[in-house]
Amino acid sequence: MKHIVRLAASALALSVTLSGCQDKAGGESAGRDQIRAVGSSTVYPFATAVAEQFVNANPGMKSPIIESTGTGGGMKLFCAGVGAQFPDIENASRRMKKSEFDMCVKNGVKDIIEIQVGVDGLAFAESKQGPGLKLTPEIVYKALAATPFGKGPNTAQTWQDVDASLPAIAISVFGPPSTSGTRDSLAELILETGCQSDPAMKALKEQDEDRFKAVCTRVREDGKYVDSGENDNLIVQKLGANPNAIGVFGYSFLEENLDTLNDIPLNGVPATYENVADGTYPGARPLYLYVKKAHIAAVPGLKTYLETFAASWNPGGMLAKRGMVAATEPVRLKNAEVVKTLAALNGAELK
């Protein structure tokens, strides 16, 4: 479900011209007088918080339009082209993929600024009345994979079917959809790690990357994993109604709901602020903004908005108070310099 901040007709007002931005027909695109961002549901609340601060500190500026489309869906919108009809910013709960960068370049989006704004954890949680599960990436993979280790359809019905130390309660996991960066993080941080507990899968990764991805990241579709859309608050509500179920979402949603939810440790490591920040927690992941350099000078306030982000991401800062985990000091300094210089991303370093 999309959350939209001030989605109004004025979003496409022909008020400014994005100089140098060409539409697909080769004509010059009319501009916008509002920043437009799309992407991650995890980054969404932080982006809107910065938008509020940006407007308060810059009287006369219109509030940025921020849409929660999921990271994957947002990348498609962001990479579709340069010009007023295309977003300025992609909020992402994972790093841009090389294939997405190539798609951007193909569509004329050639200078992309990458800014890591903080860290989040991929949290696993249950209700306060839950069974007190303790999981590992291998257990999660065996429970959720469509074809565990490529040995046929997943037949596990209970957690005890997966691991004898776990209770005999039905596997029921509420998680993000395939368009979400949170789902990508589940695949990359947890499912792939669990899959590679089998040496044959490590070998498969070297031999056939596509086959490896299919075996290790495709989730079962028999109702044990429930795609709960882009609204992570809905997952929180479902856990309240299903005490034996598990929810998968960004760490900030766990932190906001600790009065009703319990963290499920991974490899014995709880998802705490400190463990996420320093990467000790297996589900830690960086959060990003991707920005079109071609739009910086043309869209009023765009650079100032980025500077507002950078001024808000320190420990104890506004974003930390909203639930974001601050990155380490070297990472913050590096990305503050990117905001200052607007250095473009080198796509060769992406995977």
Side-chain angles (χ1 to χ4, degrees):
M1 182 174 73
K2 291 186 178 181
H3 304 282
I4 304 177
V5 174
R6 294 192 61 188
L7 181 57
S10 59
L12 298 178
L14 306 183
S15 54
V16 203
T17 297
L18 290 180
S19 58
C21 296
Q22 303 294 316
D23 63 24
K24 290 185 179 178
E28 195 166 292
S29 296
R32 274 182 282 103
D33 58 357
Q34 285 173 285
I35 297 163
R36 183 184 170 207
V38 295
S40 167
S41 62
T42 300
V43 180
Y44 171 82
F46 306 126
T48 56
V50 172
E52 291 168 12
Q53 190 144 314
F54 164 77
V55 171
N56 290 337
N58 297 277
M61 280 288 181
K62 291 187 175 182
S63 181
I65 303 159
I66 304 173
E67 299 178 60
S68 176
T69 63
T71 297
M75 286 290 184
K76 291 177 182 177
L77 295 168
F78 179 82
C79 288
V82 171
Q85 68 268 50
F86 304 109
D88 311 306
I89 299 172
E90 154 72 357
N91 300 322
S93 53
R94 58 160 171 78
R95 201 173 193 200
M96 176 179 274
K97 299 175 182 177
K98 181 64 164 61
S99 60
E100 291 166 337
F101 182 87
D102 292 342
M103 176 173 63
C104 272
V105 171
K106 180 181 177 182
N107 291 327
V109 186
K110 296 180 180 178
D111 291 312
I112 301 168
I113 303 161
E114 178 186 74
I115 304 163
Q116 184 184 333
V117 295
V119 183
D120 188 36
L122 180 70
F124 289 74
E126 61 187 12
S127 91
K128 290 289 186 184
Q129 291 72 45
L133 292 174
K134 292 178 173 58
L135 301 176
T136 66
E138 182 178 358
I139 289 172
V140 174
Y141 171 72
K142 287 179 178 179
L144 297 185
T147 56
F149 307 115
K151 296 177 181 178
N154 198 332
T155 59
Q157 298 299 307
T158 71
W159 289 103
Q160 196 171 78
D161 292 339
V162 177
D163 188 286
S165 69
L166 297 176
I169 59 175
I171 297 167
S172 179
V173 179
F174 295 102
S178 58
T179 56
S180 170
T182 307
R183 177 72 166 267
D184 291 328
S185 293
L186 172 64
E188 294 165 16
L189 297 174
I190 306 301
L191 298 180
E192 286 190 21
T193 299
C195 185
Q196 290 183 84
S197 62
D198 182 341
M201 295 298 101
K202 284 187 177 181
L204 180 62
K205 186 175 184 179
E206 298 297 323
Q207 298 161 4
D208 188 340
E209 181 79 15
D210 290 340
R211 174 66 178 154
F212 170 81
K213 290 285 185 184
V215 171
C216 292
T217 67
R218 192 162 66 86
V219 174
R220 61 196 299 182
E221 299 176 352
D222 59 357
K224 296 299 182 185
Y225 180 92
V226 180
D227 177 334
S228 300
E230 295 290 352
N231 185 355
D232 291 330
N233 284 314
L234 184 60
I235 299 178
V236 174
Q237 294 168 18
K238 287 181 177 180
L239 295 184
N242 300 271
N244 286 334
I246 289 176
V248 182
F249 37 61
Y251 169 77
S252 62
F253 287 91
L254 171 65
E255 189 176 54
E256 289 171 8
N257 293 280
L258 286 174
D259 56 334
T260 59
L261 300 179
N262 284 334
D263 167 48
I264 297 173
L266 288 177
N267 290 343
V269 180
T272 64
Y273 190 99
E274 294 74 20
N275 290 342
V276 172
D278 66 15
T280 304
Y281 177 66
R285 58 177 180 168
L287 301 176
Y288 297 95
L289 301 185
Y290 290 93
V291 188
K292 290 171 184 166
K293 193 167 184 177
H295 287 201
I296 291 287
V299 178
L302 183 52
K303 188 170 192 297
T304 304
Y305 176 74
L306 301 180
E307 291 167 348
T308 305
F309 239 112
S312 305
W313 65 37
N314 292 321
M318 184 268 289
L319 290 175
K321 291 174 182 175
R322 296 290 184 109
M324 180 181 282
V325 178
T328 60
E329 185 176 11
V331 171
R332 297 197 310 273
L333 291 174
K334 176 184 176 182
N335 285 277
E337 185 66 17
V338 172
V339 170
K340 181 180 177 180
T341 63
L342 303 175
L345 172 67
N346 179 357
E349 61 191 77
L350 300 175
K351 296 180 181 178

